[in-house]
Structures are given as C-alpha cells and as structure tokens.
Amino acid sequence: MPDSAPQQLLHLVIGGELVDLEHNTFKNLDEVDIVGLYPNYATAHAAWRAKAQSTVDNAQMRYFIVHLHRLLDPNQEPAR
C-alpha cells in the first residue's frame, strides 16, 4: 500500500432494542440492525445519528459505533 493512502480507521454502526436502559444487552440478537461499516469516524457518526434519530420514539432502541480499528490493532495509539 502506498504511503500516501489515507489510514483506514474502520467503524461499525449497529443497534437494536435493549433489555433495559441500564445495560447494553440486546433484547433479540436476531434483530440487531447492522447499519454498516465505515472508513472513518465522521461517516460512522453521520450514519449513527441518522439511525438514532429515526428511532427516537422507542426509548429502548440504541445504536452504537464500534471502533473496529482498535480491535484489529489494540497496540495502536489513539489518534489525537
């Protein structure tokens, strides 16, 4: 890969209905909404915001941004 290529900081946006608001436990794993995989935080955040706002009437529904790049390379220093 050329040195000029932008660094990929992969992010996954997922969501679903939670068992309760005290824990991040999905009520039904078969119904977890996999919104998508994004190359940077900005695009993941935009997708997260759109999904979160579309489900605002359901208090049990939550969406999350998973920082996959941190799981793939746990020794990587966080971007500042």
Side-chain angles (χ1 to χ4, degrees), residues 4-69:
S4 62
Q7 184 179 14
Q8 289 184 343
L9 298 177
L10 297 176
H11 294 80
L12 174 66
V13 178
I14 63 170
E17 196 165 358
L18 301 180
V19 172
D20 61 52
L21 298 179
E22 300 297 319
H23 304 92
N24 293 334
T25 304
F26 293 111
K27 187 178 283 188
N28 184 348
L29 289 177
D30 291 331
E31 295 180 4
V32 169
D33 182 12
I34 300 173
V35 179
L37 184 63
Y38 301 91
N40 56 54
Y41 182 81
T43 55
H45 187 265
W48 167 84
R49 180 178 297 279
K51 290 301 281 191
Q53 288 178 343
S54 73
T55 60
V56 72
D57 291 337
N58 182 348
Q60 300 292 104
M61 190 69 101
R62 292 286 190 270
Y63 281 85
F64 302 92
I65 299 174
V66 181
H67 298 263
L68 290 180
H69 60 95

